[in-house]
Amino acid sequence: MLDFQRLTGLLVRREADVDLPTRWGSFRLIGYQGRRDGKEHVALVKGELRGPDPVLVRVHSECLTGDVFGSQRCDCGPQLDVAMEMVQQRPAGVIVYTRQEGRGIGLLNKLRAYQLQDQGQDTVEANASLGFRDDQRTYDVAAAILVDLGVRRIELLTNNPRKMLSLGAYGLTVVRRVPLQLAPNPHNQTYLRTKRDKLGHQLDL
């Protein structure tokens, strides 16, 4: 059986812990550095996470175009906004923000995939054309951060069953899935259908 506390020490190192007032409310912003690749990740924390009740958790992969620039090609930015609002409505919750741009292929490759999508490929086909799997993300770092924060039982904000299975493999108990579905727009309908039909995301479209 995995020693999850030891695994945490091997994967991440806590580097900073500050208050972060936002338009949704105040969070603790805790910074981590990945020990294997040096990437910097953060956790937005609300309330006390070490109690017996399950904690509302969103594991969110970085999306510069959606989270920062408001791209409508995906649903990432609105999902992050809703997650921050929902966490603030609970006594406790956490958003783990991991540096896995473009489902793990990186920013420039994501833009290259966008070029292929503009030529008629869907997001899965574009990744394959570039030599990548449909989803290259891993969740060991996110799990390690949650363990470091004292989280063991979670209500997971996601539409992605793979994410639930991956976190469970690292000793976290996913008590239930909390859907995070937003209305599609004209620019992301094909993207969302592809996530549903080819990646198994639980979306009602």
PDB file of all heavy atoms in Angstrom, residues 36-37 39-41 59-64 67 76 96-107 110 127 133 135-143 145 163 166-167:
ATOM      1  N   ARG A  36       9.778  16.993  -9.083  1.00  0.00           N
ATOM      2  CA  ARG A  36      10.315  16.277 -10.241  1.00  0.00           C
ATOM      3  C   ARG A  36      10.586  17.209 -11.412  1.00  0.00           C
ATOM      4  O   ARG A  36      11.589  17.070 -12.113  1.00  0.00           O
ATOM      5  CB  ARG A  36       9.345  15.169 -10.671  1.00  0.00           C
ATOM      6  CG  ARG A  36       9.225  14.054  -9.653  1.00  0.00           C
ATOM      7  CD  ARG A  36       8.285  12.971 -10.131  1.00  0.00           C
ATOM      8  NE  ARG A  36       6.959  13.498 -10.453  1.00  0.00           N
ATOM      9  CZ  ARG A  36       5.934  12.749 -10.830  1.00  0.00           C
ATOM     10  NH1 ARG A  36       6.087  11.454 -10.948  1.00  0.00           N
ATOM     11  NH2 ARG A  36       4.759  13.288 -11.082  1.00  0.00           N
ATOM     12  N   ASP A  37       9.664  18.160 -11.670  1.00  0.00           N
ATOM     13  CA  ASP A  37       9.811  18.999 -12.859  1.00  0.00           C
ATOM     14  C   ASP A  37       9.965  20.486 -12.552  1.00  0.00           C
ATOM     15  O   ASP A  37      10.144  21.292 -13.458  1.00  0.00           O
ATOM     16  CB  ASP A  37       8.626  18.809 -13.806  1.00  0.00           C
ATOM     17  CG  ASP A  37       7.287  19.102 -13.143  1.00  0.00           C
ATOM     18  OD1 ASP A  37       7.274  19.689 -12.043  1.00  0.00           O
ATOM     19  OD2 ASP A  37       6.251  18.735 -13.724  1.00  0.00           O
ATOM     20  N   LYS A  39       7.773  22.585 -11.681  1.00  0.00           N
ATOM     21  CA  LYS A  39       6.609  23.413 -11.974  1.00  0.00           C
ATOM     22  C   LYS A  39       5.986  23.951 -10.692  1.00  0.00           C
ATOM     23  O   LYS A  39       6.057  23.318  -9.636  1.00  0.00           O
ATOM     24  CB  LYS A  39       5.569  22.613 -12.759  1.00  0.00           C
ATOM     25  CG  LYS A  39       5.956  22.331 -14.199  1.00  0.00           C
ATOM     26  CD  LYS A  39       4.825  21.650 -14.952  1.00  0.00           C
ATOM     27  CE  LYS A  39       5.198  21.428 -16.407  1.00  0.00           C
ATOM     28  NZ  LYS A  39       4.096  20.775 -17.168  1.00  0.00           N
ATOM     29  N   GLU A  40       5.376  25.120 -10.805  1.00  0.00           N
ATOM     30  CA  GLU A  40       4.758  25.787  -9.659  1.00  0.00           C
ATOM     31  C   GLU A  40       3.243  25.617  -9.730  1.00  0.00           C
ATOM     32  O   GLU A  40       2.629  25.883 -10.764  1.00  0.00           O
ATOM     33  CB  GLU A  40       5.142  27.264  -9.649  1.00  0.00           C
ATOM     34  CG  GLU A  40       6.648  27.466  -9.487  1.00  0.00           C
ATOM     35  CD  GLU A  40       7.094  28.888  -9.793  1.00  0.00           C
ATOM     36  OE1 GLU A  40       6.343  29.612 -10.475  1.00  0.00           O
ATOM     37  OE2 GLU A  40       8.192  29.262  -9.352  1.00  0.00           O
ATOM     38  N   HIS A  41       2.651  25.160  -8.632  1.00  0.00           N
ATOM     39  CA  HIS A  41       1.217  24.921  -8.540  1.00  0.00           C
ATOM     40  C   HIS A  41       0.689  25.675  -7.321  1.00  0.00           C
ATOM     41  O   HIS A  41       1.457  26.022  -6.415  1.00  0.00           O
ATOM     42  CB  HIS A  41       0.922  23.428  -8.370  1.00  0.00           C
ATOM     43  CG  HIS A  41       1.660  22.542  -9.325  1.00  0.00           C
ATOM     44  ND1 HIS A  41       1.201  22.267 -10.587  1.00  0.00           N
ATOM     45  CD2 HIS A  41       2.847  21.876  -9.204  1.00  0.00           C
ATOM     46  CE1 HIS A  41       2.049  21.460 -11.204  1.00  0.00           C
ATOM     47  NE2 HIS A  41       3.058  21.218 -10.392  1.00  0.00           N
ATOM     48  N   VAL A  59     -10.095  20.280  -8.972  1.00  0.00           N
ATOM     49  CA  VAL A  59      -8.743  20.178  -9.509  1.00  0.00           C
ATOM     50  C   VAL A  59      -8.795  20.756 -10.910  1.00  0.00           C
ATOM     51  O   VAL A  59      -9.424  20.190 -11.807  1.00  0.00           O
ATOM     52  CB  VAL A  59      -8.251  18.721  -9.518  1.00  0.00           C
ATOM     53  CG1 VAL A  59      -6.887  18.632 -10.203  1.00  0.00           C
ATOM     54  CG2 VAL A  59      -8.164  18.178  -8.097  1.00  0.00           C
ATOM     55  N   HIS A  60      -8.161  21.910 -11.087  1.00  0.00           N
ATOM     56  CA  HIS A  60      -8.282  22.681 -12.327  1.00  0.00           C
ATOM     57  C   HIS A  60      -6.927  22.760 -13.009  1.00  0.00           C
ATOM     58  O   HIS A  60      -5.935  23.173 -12.409  1.00  0.00           O
ATOM     59  CB  HIS A  60      -8.789  24.093 -12.012  1.00  0.00           C
ATOM     60  CG  HIS A  60      -9.169  24.888 -13.224  1.00  0.00           C
ATOM     61  ND1 HIS A  60     -10.436  24.875 -13.751  1.00  0.00           N
ATOM     62  CD2 HIS A  60      -8.439  25.719 -14.015  1.00  0.00           C
ATOM     63  CE1 HIS A  60     -10.490  25.666 -14.813  1.00  0.00           C
ATOM     64  NE2 HIS A  60      -9.281  26.186 -14.995  1.00  0.00           N
ATOM     65  N   SER A  61      -6.892  22.357 -14.257  1.00  0.00           N
ATOM     66  CA  SER A  61      -5.652  22.442 -15.033  1.00  0.00           C
ATOM     67  C   SER A  61      -5.543  23.812 -15.686  1.00  0.00           C
ATOM     68  O   SER A  61      -6.519  24.331 -16.239  1.00  0.00           O
ATOM     69  CB  SER A  61      -5.628  21.358 -16.116  1.00  0.00           C
ATOM     70  OG  SER A  61      -5.697  20.074 -15.543  1.00  0.00           O
ATOM     71  N   GLU A  62      -4.356  24.368 -15.622  1.00  0.00           N
ATOM     72  CA  GLU A  62      -4.089  25.697 -16.184  1.00  0.00           C
ATOM     73  C   GLU A  62      -4.594  25.812 -17.619  1.00  0.00           C
ATOM     74  O   GLU A  62      -4.405  24.915 -18.440  1.00  0.00           O
ATOM     75  CB  GLU A  62      -2.586  25.935 -16.157  1.00  0.00           C
ATOM     76  CG  GLU A  62      -2.147  27.243 -16.796  1.00  0.00           C
ATOM     77  CD  GLU A  62      -0.639  27.368 -16.836  1.00  0.00           C
ATOM     78  OE1 GLU A  62       0.045  26.338 -17.004  1.00  0.00           O
ATOM     79  OE2 GLU A  62      -0.145  28.499 -16.702  1.00  0.00           O
ATOM     80  N   CYS A  63      -5.242  26.930 -17.921  1.00  0.00           N
ATOM     81  CA  CYS A  63      -5.668  27.241 -19.287  1.00  0.00           C
ATOM     82  C   CYS A  63      -5.514  28.739 -19.471  1.00  0.00           C
ATOM     83  O   CYS A  63      -6.419  29.515 -19.143  1.00  0.00           O
ATOM     84  CB  CYS A  63      -7.122  26.807 -19.517  1.00  0.00           C
ATOM     85  SG  CYS A  63      -7.746  27.244 -21.160  1.00  0.00           S
ATOM     86  N   LEU A  64      -4.368  29.151 -19.962  1.00  0.00           N
ATOM     87  CA  LEU A  64      -4.096  30.581 -20.119  1.00  0.00           C
ATOM     88  C   LEU A  64      -5.153  31.253 -20.979  1.00  0.00           C
ATOM     89  O   LEU A  64      -5.673  32.313 -20.631  1.00  0.00           O
ATOM     90  CB  LEU A  64      -2.708  30.788 -20.731  1.00  0.00           C
ATOM     91  CG  LEU A  64      -2.332  32.250 -20.997  1.00  0.00           C
ATOM     92  CD1 LEU A  64      -2.077  32.992 -19.696  1.00  0.00           C
ATOM     93  CD2 LEU A  64      -1.109  32.337 -21.909  1.00  0.00           C
ATOM     94  N   ASP A  67      -8.670  30.904 -18.853  1.00  0.00           N
ATOM     95  CA  ASP A  67      -8.682  31.465 -17.499  1.00  0.00           C
ATOM     96  C   ASP A  67      -8.325  32.941 -17.483  1.00  0.00           C
ATOM     97  O   ASP A  67      -8.842  33.704 -16.662  1.00  0.00           O
ATOM     98  CB  ASP A  67      -7.694  30.708 -16.599  1.00  0.00           C
ATOM     99  CG  ASP A  67      -8.037  29.240 -16.448  1.00  0.00           C
ATOM    100  OD1 ASP A  67      -9.201  28.864 -16.690  1.00  0.00           O
ATOM    101  OD2 ASP A  67      -7.132  28.459 -16.083  1.00  0.00           O
ATOM    102  N   CYS A  76     -13.087  26.393 -19.798  1.00  0.00           N
ATOM    103  CA  CYS A  76     -12.197  26.385 -18.639  1.00  0.00           C
ATOM    104  C   CYS A  76     -12.369  27.616 -17.743  1.00  0.00           C
ATOM    105  O   CYS A  76     -12.488  27.491 -16.519  1.00  0.00           O
ATOM    106  CB  CYS A  76     -10.745  26.279 -19.093  1.00  0.00           C
ATOM    107  SG  CYS A  76     -10.400  24.820 -20.088  1.00  0.00           S
ATOM    108  N   VAL A  96      -7.377  23.214  -6.467  1.00  0.00           N
ATOM    109  CA  VAL A  96      -5.974  22.937  -6.777  1.00  0.00           C
ATOM    110  C   VAL A  96      -5.756  23.311  -8.238  1.00  0.00           C
ATOM    111  O   VAL A  96      -6.398  22.768  -9.141  1.00  0.00           O
ATOM    112  CB  VAL A  96      -5.629  21.459  -6.544  1.00  0.00           C
ATOM    113  CG1 VAL A  96      -4.159  21.204  -6.883  1.00  0.00           C
ATOM    114  CG2 VAL A  96      -5.918  21.055  -5.100  1.00  0.00           C
ATOM    115  N   TYR A  97      -4.859  24.255  -8.468  1.00  0.00           N
ATOM    116  CA  TYR A  97      -4.592  24.774  -9.812  1.00  0.00           C
ATOM    117  C   TYR A  97      -3.254  24.223 -10.261  1.00  0.00           C
ATOM    118  O   TYR A  97      -2.194  24.606  -9.751  1.00  0.00           O
ATOM    119  CB  TYR A  97      -4.579  26.299  -9.783  1.00  0.00           C
ATOM    120  CG  TYR A  97      -4.632  26.964 -11.147  1.00  0.00           C
ATOM    121  CD1 TYR A  97      -5.855  27.330 -11.707  1.00  0.00           C
ATOM    122  CD2 TYR A  97      -3.474  27.236 -11.860  1.00  0.00           C
ATOM    123  CE1 TYR A  97      -5.920  27.949 -12.950  1.00  0.00           C
ATOM    124  CE2 TYR A  97      -3.528  27.854 -13.102  1.00  0.00           C
ATOM    125  CZ  TYR A  97      -4.750  28.204 -13.643  1.00  0.00           C
ATOM    126  OH  TYR A  97      -4.804  28.809 -14.879  1.00  0.00           O
ATOM    127  N   THR A  98      -3.298  23.295 -11.225  1.00  0.00           N
ATOM    128  CA  THR A  98      -2.082  22.612 -11.659  1.00  0.00           C
ATOM    129  C   THR A  98      -1.626  23.132 -13.018  1.00  0.00           C
ATOM    130  O   THR A  98      -2.431  23.496 -13.858  1.00  0.00           O
ATOM    131  CB  THR A  98      -2.299  21.091 -11.741  1.00  0.00           C
ATOM    132  OG1 THR A  98      -3.317  20.795 -12.705  1.00  0.00           O
ATOM    133  CG2 THR A  98      -2.719  20.534 -10.389  1.00  0.00           C
ATOM    134  N   ARG A  99      -0.327  23.106 -13.219  1.00  0.00           N
ATOM    135  CA  ARG A  99       0.274  23.660 -14.436  1.00  0.00           C
ATOM    136  C   ARG A  99       0.328  22.584 -15.514  1.00  0.00           C
ATOM    137  O   ARG A  99       1.379  22.018 -15.802  1.00  0.00           O
ATOM    138  CB  ARG A  99       1.661  24.208 -14.121  1.00  0.00           C
ATOM    139  CG  ARG A  99       1.705  25.189 -12.960  1.00  0.00           C
ATOM    140  CD  ARG A  99       0.882  26.436 -13.222  1.00  0.00           C
ATOM    141  NE  ARG A  99       1.395  27.211 -14.315  1.00  0.00           N
ATOM    142  CZ  ARG A  99       2.421  28.084 -14.200  1.00  0.00           C
ATOM    143  NH1 ARG A  99       3.013  28.267 -13.051  1.00  0.00           N
ATOM    144  NH2 ARG A  99       2.824  28.772 -15.258  1.00  0.00           N
ATOM    145  N   GLN A 100      -0.832  22.294 -16.098  1.00  0.00           N
ATOM    146  CA  GLN A 100      -0.930  21.266 -17.132  1.00  0.00           C
ATOM    147  C   GLN A 100      -1.693  21.832 -18.330  1.00  0.00           C
ATOM    148  O   GLN A 100      -2.749  21.342 -18.704  1.00  0.00           O
ATOM    149  CB  GLN A 100      -1.621  20.020 -16.586  1.00  0.00           C
ATOM    150  CG  GLN A 100      -0.899  19.395 -15.402  1.00  0.00           C
ATOM    151  CD  GLN A 100      -1.413  18.011 -15.084  1.00  0.00           C
ATOM    152  OE1 GLN A 100      -0.919  17.006 -15.592  1.00  0.00           O
ATOM    153  NE2 GLN A 100      -2.411  17.944 -14.246  1.00  0.00           N
ATOM    154  N   GLU A 101      -1.131  22.881 -18.890  1.00  0.00           N
ATOM    155  CA  GLU A 101      -1.765  23.584 -20.012  1.00  0.00           C
ATOM    156  C   GLU A 101      -2.079  22.627 -21.166  1.00  0.00           C
ATOM    157  O   GLU A 101      -1.287  21.737 -21.496  1.00  0.00           O
ATOM    158  CB  GLU A 101      -0.827  24.681 -20.510  1.00  0.00           C
ATOM    159  CG  GLU A 101      -1.362  25.529 -21.630  1.00  0.00           C
ATOM    160  CD  GLU A 101      -2.362  26.585 -21.179  1.00  0.00           C
ATOM    161  OE1 GLU A 101      -2.060  27.316 -20.232  1.00  0.00           O
ATOM    162  OE2 GLU A 101      -3.434  26.660 -21.806  1.00  0.00           O
ATOM    163  N   GLY A 102      -3.248  22.803 -21.761  1.00  0.00           N
ATOM    164  CA  GLY A 102      -3.605  22.049 -22.943  1.00  0.00           C
ATOM    165  C   GLY A 102      -3.702  20.550 -22.726  1.00  0.00           C
ATOM    166  O   GLY A 102      -3.244  19.774 -23.558  1.00  0.00           O
ATOM    167  N   ARG A 103      -4.300  20.146 -21.610  1.00  0.00           N
ATOM    168  CA  ARG A 103      -4.356  18.723 -21.224  1.00  0.00           C
ATOM    169  C   ARG A 103      -2.965  18.101 -21.166  1.00  0.00           C
ATOM    170  O   ARG A 103      -2.758  16.943 -21.501  1.00  0.00           O
ATOM    171  CB  ARG A 103      -5.251  17.896 -22.147  1.00  0.00           C
ATOM    172  CG  ARG A 103      -6.718  18.246 -22.085  1.00  0.00           C
ATOM    173  CD  ARG A 103      -7.600  17.104 -22.609  1.00  0.00           C
ATOM    174  NE  ARG A 103      -8.909  17.628 -22.967  1.00  0.00           N
ATOM    175  CZ  ARG A 103      -9.317  17.813 -24.217  1.00  0.00           C
ATOM    176  NH1 ARG A 103      -8.535  17.477 -25.225  1.00  0.00           N
ATOM    177  NH2 ARG A 103     -10.507  18.300 -24.469  1.00  0.00           N
ATOM    178  N   GLY A 104      -2.005  18.925 -20.749  1.00  0.00           N
ATOM    179  CA  GLY A 104      -0.664  18.419 -20.507  1.00  0.00           C
ATOM    180  C   GLY A 104       0.300  18.550 -21.660  1.00  0.00           C
ATOM    181  O   GLY A 104       1.461  18.112 -21.542  1.00  0.00           O
ATOM    182  N   ILE A 105      -0.097  19.174 -22.782  1.00  0.00           N
ATOM    183  CA  ILE A 105       0.811  19.260 -23.935  1.00  0.00           C
ATOM    184  C   ILE A 105       1.548  20.597 -24.003  1.00  0.00           C
ATOM    185  O   ILE A 105       2.446  20.761 -24.831  1.00  0.00           O
ATOM    186  CB  ILE A 105       0.079  18.991 -25.267  1.00  0.00           C
ATOM    187  CG1 ILE A 105      -0.928  20.102 -25.596  1.00  0.00           C
ATOM    188  CG2 ILE A 105      -0.611  17.634 -25.231  1.00  0.00           C
ATOM    189  CD1 ILE A 105      -1.604  19.933 -26.968  1.00  0.00           C
ATOM    190  N   GLY A 106       1.170  21.555 -23.162  1.00  0.00           N
ATOM    191  CA  GLY A 106       1.850  22.842 -23.158  1.00  0.00           C
ATOM    192  C   GLY A 106       1.161  23.878 -24.029  1.00  0.00           C
ATOM    193  O   GLY A 106       0.366  23.547 -24.913  1.00  0.00           O
ATOM    194  N   LEU A 107       1.490  25.138 -23.766  1.00  0.00           N
ATOM    195  CA  LEU A 107       0.790  26.236 -24.417  1.00  0.00           C
ATOM    196  C   LEU A 107       1.000  26.265 -25.929  1.00  0.00           C
ATOM    197  O   LEU A 107       0.040  26.371 -26.698  1.00  0.00           O
ATOM    198  CB  LEU A 107       1.230  27.568 -23.805  1.00  0.00           C
ATOM    199  CG  LEU A 107       0.614  28.821 -24.420  1.00  0.00           C
ATOM    200  CD1 LEU A 107      -0.906  28.808 -24.300  1.00  0.00           C
ATOM    201  CD2 LEU A 107       1.193  30.075 -23.782  1.00  0.00           C
ATOM    202  N   LYS A 110      -0.724  23.524 -27.620  1.00  0.00           N
ATOM    203  CA  LYS A 110      -2.165  23.755 -27.625  1.00  0.00           C
ATOM    204  C   LYS A 110      -2.550  24.703 -28.761  1.00  0.00           C
ATOM    205  O   LYS A 110      -3.561  24.480 -29.455  1.00  0.00           O
ATOM    206  CB  LYS A 110      -2.640  24.330 -26.282  1.00  0.00           C
ATOM    207  CG  LYS A 110      -4.158  24.507 -26.226  1.00  0.00           C
ATOM    208  CD  LYS A 110      -4.648  24.922 -24.858  1.00  0.00           C
ATOM    209  CE  LYS A 110      -4.543  26.404 -24.640  1.00  0.00           C
ATOM    210  NZ  LYS A 110      -5.262  26.848 -23.413  1.00  0.00           N
ATOM    211  N   ASN A 127      -4.695  16.514 -31.213  1.00  0.00           N
ATOM    212  CA  ASN A 127      -3.643  16.018 -30.327  1.00  0.00           C
ATOM    213  C   ASN A 127      -2.919  14.828 -30.949  1.00  0.00           C
ATOM    214  O   ASN A 127      -1.690  14.726 -30.900  1.00  0.00           O
ATOM    215  CB  ASN A 127      -4.231  15.619 -28.972  1.00  0.00           C
ATOM    216  CG  ASN A 127      -4.321  16.777 -28.013  1.00  0.00           C
ATOM    217  OD1 ASN A 127      -4.413  17.926 -28.420  1.00  0.00           O
ATOM    218  ND2 ASN A 127      -4.315  16.491 -26.720  1.00  0.00           N
ATOM    219  N   ARG A 133      -1.297  11.816 -26.741  1.00  0.00           N
ATOM    220  CA  ARG A 133      -2.523  11.142 -26.353  1.00  0.00           C
ATOM    221  C   ARG A 133      -3.641  12.167 -26.231  1.00  0.00           C
ATOM    222  O   ARG A 133      -3.395  13.379 -26.160  1.00  0.00           O
ATOM    223  CB  ARG A 133      -2.354  10.415 -25.013  1.00  0.00           C
ATOM    224  CG  ARG A 133      -1.273   9.331 -25.038  1.00  0.00           C
ATOM    225  CD  ARG A 133      -1.313   8.502 -23.754  1.00  0.00           C
ATOM    226  NE  ARG A 133      -1.233   9.316 -22.561  1.00  0.00           N
ATOM    227  CZ  ARG A 133      -0.108   9.738 -22.009  1.00  0.00           C
ATOM    228  NH1 ARG A 133       1.062   9.437 -22.553  1.00  0.00           N
ATOM    229  NH2 ARG A 133      -0.115  10.454 -20.906  1.00  0.00           N
ATOM    230  N   ASP A 135      -5.388  12.900 -23.729  1.00  0.00           N
ATOM    231  CA  ASP A 135      -5.279  13.631 -22.460  1.00  0.00           C
ATOM    232  C   ASP A 135      -4.000  13.177 -21.776  1.00  0.00           C
ATOM    233  O   ASP A 135      -3.891  12.028 -21.343  1.00  0.00           O
ATOM    234  CB  ASP A 135      -6.498  13.358 -21.580  1.00  0.00           C
ATOM    235  CG  ASP A 135      -6.598  14.297 -20.378  1.00  0.00           C
ATOM    236  OD1 ASP A 135      -5.550  14.873 -20.000  1.00  0.00           O
ATOM    237  OD2 ASP A 135      -7.696  14.446 -19.831  1.00  0.00           O
ATOM    238  N   GLN A 136      -3.027  14.068 -21.676  1.00  0.00           N
ATOM    239  CA  GLN A 136      -1.717  13.734 -21.115  1.00  0.00           C
ATOM    240  C   GLN A 136      -1.585  14.101 -19.634  1.00  0.00           C
ATOM    241  O   GLN A 136      -0.512  13.956 -19.060  1.00  0.00           O
ATOM    242  CB  GLN A 136      -0.621  14.458 -21.910  1.00  0.00           C
ATOM    243  CG  GLN A 136      -0.590  14.137 -23.386  1.00  0.00           C
ATOM    244  CD  GLN A 136       0.703  13.477 -23.813  1.00  0.00           C
ATOM    245  OE1 GLN A 136       0.700  12.593 -24.654  1.00  0.00           O
ATOM    246  NE2 GLN A 136       1.806  13.876 -23.230  1.00  0.00           N
ATOM    247  N   ARG A 137      -2.658  14.557 -19.027  1.00  0.00           N
ATOM    248  CA  ARG A 137      -2.569  15.019 -17.651  1.00  0.00           C
ATOM    249  C   ARG A 137      -2.404  13.852 -16.676  1.00  0.00           C
ATOM    250  O   ARG A 137      -2.870  12.750 -16.920  1.00  0.00           O
ATOM    251  CB  ARG A 137      -3.807  15.825 -17.272  1.00  0.00           C
ATOM    252  CG  ARG A 137      -3.916  17.151 -17.985  1.00  0.00           C
ATOM    253  CD  ARG A 137      -5.223  17.837 -17.696  1.00  0.00           C
ATOM    254  NE  ARG A 137      -6.369  17.072 -18.206  1.00  0.00           N
ATOM    255  CZ  ARG A 137      -7.633  17.443 -18.061  1.00  0.00           C
ATOM    256  NH1 ARG A 137      -7.921  18.559 -17.411  1.00  0.00           N
ATOM    257  NH2 ARG A 137      -8.604  16.711 -18.577  1.00  0.00           N
ATOM    258  N   THR A 138      -1.750  14.144 -15.560  1.00  0.00           N
ATOM    259  CA  THR A 138      -1.683  13.227 -14.435  1.00  0.00           C
ATOM    260  C   THR A 138      -2.179  13.958 -13.201  1.00  0.00           C
ATOM    261  O   THR A 138      -2.201  15.201 -13.161  1.00  0.00           O
ATOM    262  CB  THR A 138      -0.250  12.723 -14.191  1.00  0.00           C
ATOM    263  OG1 THR A 138       0.596  13.859 -13.890  1.00  0.00           O
ATOM    264  CG2 THR A 138       0.291  12.003 -15.424  1.00  0.00           C
ATOM    265  N   TYR A 139      -2.568  13.202 -12.198  1.00  0.00           N
ATOM    266  CA  TYR A 139      -3.172  13.819 -11.013  1.00  0.00           C
ATOM    267  C   TYR A 139      -2.422  13.472  -9.729  1.00  0.00           C
ATOM    268  O   TYR A 139      -2.941  13.695  -8.635  1.00  0.00           O
ATOM    269  CB  TYR A 139      -4.647  13.420 -10.920  1.00  0.00           C
ATOM    270  CG  TYR A 139      -5.430  13.947 -12.097  1.00  0.00           C
ATOM    271  CD1 TYR A 139      -5.753  13.129 -13.174  1.00  0.00           C
ATOM    272  CD2 TYR A 139      -5.790  15.289 -12.159  1.00  0.00           C
ATOM    273  CE1 TYR A 139      -6.436  13.634 -14.273  1.00  0.00           C
ATOM    274  CE2 TYR A 139      -6.467  15.796 -13.256  1.00  0.00           C
ATOM    275  CZ  TYR A 139      -6.788  14.960 -14.306  1.00  0.00           C
ATOM    276  OH  TYR A 139      -7.449  15.461 -15.397  1.00  0.00           O
ATOM    277  N   ASP A 140      -1.197  12.968  -9.864  1.00  0.00           N
ATOM    278  CA  ASP A 140      -0.428  12.649  -8.667  1.00  0.00           C
ATOM    279  C   ASP A 140      -0.058  13.897  -7.878  1.00  0.00           C
ATOM    280  O   ASP A 140      -0.139  13.909  -6.641  1.00  0.00           O
ATOM    281  CB  ASP A 140       0.817  11.843  -9.026  1.00  0.00           C
ATOM    282  CG  ASP A 140       1.675  12.464 -10.121  1.00  0.00           C
ATOM    283  OD1 ASP A 140       1.252  13.459 -10.731  1.00  0.00           O
ATOM    284  OD2 ASP A 140       2.778  11.927 -10.375  1.00  0.00           O
ATOM    285  N   VAL A 141       0.324  14.972  -8.574  1.00  0.00           N
ATOM    286  CA  VAL A 141       0.687  16.212  -7.879  1.00  0.00           C
ATOM    287  C   VAL A 141      -0.532  16.812  -7.177  1.00  0.00           C
ATOM    288  O   VAL A 141      -0.448  17.248  -6.026  1.00  0.00           O
ATOM    289  CB  VAL A 141       1.309  17.218  -8.862  1.00  0.00           C
ATOM    290  CG1 VAL A 141       1.357  18.621  -8.259  1.00  0.00           C
ATOM    291  CG2 VAL A 141       2.718  16.768  -9.243  1.00  0.00           C
ATOM    292  N   ALA A 142      -1.678  16.829  -7.862  1.00  0.00           N
ATOM    293  CA  ALA A 142      -2.897  17.340  -7.230  1.00  0.00           C
ATOM    294  C   ALA A 142      -3.251  16.525  -5.997  1.00  0.00           C
ATOM    295  O   ALA A 142      -3.622  17.084  -4.946  1.00  0.00           O
ATOM    296  CB  ALA A 142      -4.051  17.324  -8.227  1.00  0.00           C
ATOM    297  N   ALA A 143      -3.136  15.199  -6.094  1.00  0.00           N
ATOM    298  CA  ALA A 143      -3.425  14.344  -4.945  1.00  0.00           C
ATOM    299  C   ALA A 143      -2.453  14.627  -3.801  1.00  0.00           C
ATOM    300  O   ALA A 143      -2.850  14.696  -2.630  1.00  0.00           O
ATOM    301  CB  ALA A 143      -3.361  12.871  -5.352  1.00  0.00           C
ATOM    302  N   ILE A 145      -0.907  17.420  -3.149  1.00  0.00           N
ATOM    303  CA  ILE A 145      -1.262  18.704  -2.543  1.00  0.00           C
ATOM    304  C   ILE A 145      -2.453  18.537  -1.604  1.00  0.00           C
ATOM    305  O   ILE A 145      -2.464  19.057  -0.482  1.00  0.00           O
ATOM    306  CB  ILE A 145      -1.549  19.750  -3.637  1.00  0.00           C
ATOM    307  CG1 ILE A 145      -0.243  20.138  -4.338  1.00  0.00           C
ATOM    308  CG2 ILE A 145      -2.234  20.991  -3.053  1.00  0.00           C
ATOM    309  CD1 ILE A 145      -0.428  21.001  -5.573  1.00  0.00           C
ATOM    310  N   LYS A 163     -10.775  11.698 -13.837  1.00  0.00           N
ATOM    311  CA  LYS A 163     -10.212  12.458 -12.728  1.00  0.00           C
ATOM    312  C   LYS A 163     -10.600  11.829 -11.396  1.00  0.00           C
ATOM    313  O   LYS A 163      -9.789  11.738 -10.466  1.00  0.00           O
ATOM    314  CB  LYS A 163     -10.684  13.918 -12.796  1.00  0.00           C
ATOM    315  CG  LYS A 163      -9.925  14.871 -11.895  1.00  0.00           C
ATOM    316  CD  LYS A 163     -10.435  16.298 -12.059  1.00  0.00           C
ATOM    317  CE  LYS A 163     -10.169  16.862 -13.434  1.00  0.00           C
ATOM    318  NZ  LYS A 163     -10.548  18.295 -13.523  1.00  0.00           N
ATOM    319  N   SER A 166      -8.504   8.679 -10.950  1.00  0.00           N
ATOM    320  CA  SER A 166      -7.098   8.993 -10.707  1.00  0.00           C
ATOM    321  C   SER A 166      -6.863   9.454  -9.280  1.00  0.00           C
ATOM    322  O   SER A 166      -5.915   9.012  -8.620  1.00  0.00           O
ATOM    323  CB  SER A 166      -6.618  10.062 -11.690  1.00  0.00           C
ATOM    324  OG  SER A 166      -6.654   9.583 -13.013  1.00  0.00           O
ATOM    325  N   LEU A 167      -7.710  10.325  -8.769  1.00  0.00           N
ATOM    326  CA  LEU A 167      -7.541  10.794  -7.394  1.00  0.00           C
ATOM    327  C   LEU A 167      -7.790   9.663  -6.400  1.00  0.00           C
ATOM    328  O   LEU A 167      -7.112   9.552  -5.373  1.00  0.00           O
ATOM    329  CB  LEU A 167      -8.471  11.970  -7.119  1.00  0.00           C
ATOM    330  CG  LEU A 167      -8.141  13.262  -7.885  1.00  0.00           C
ATOM    331  CD1 LEU A 167      -9.188  14.324  -7.601  1.00  0.00           C
ATOM    332  CD2 LEU A 167      -6.752  13.776  -7.533  1.00  0.00           C
TER     333      LEU A 167
END
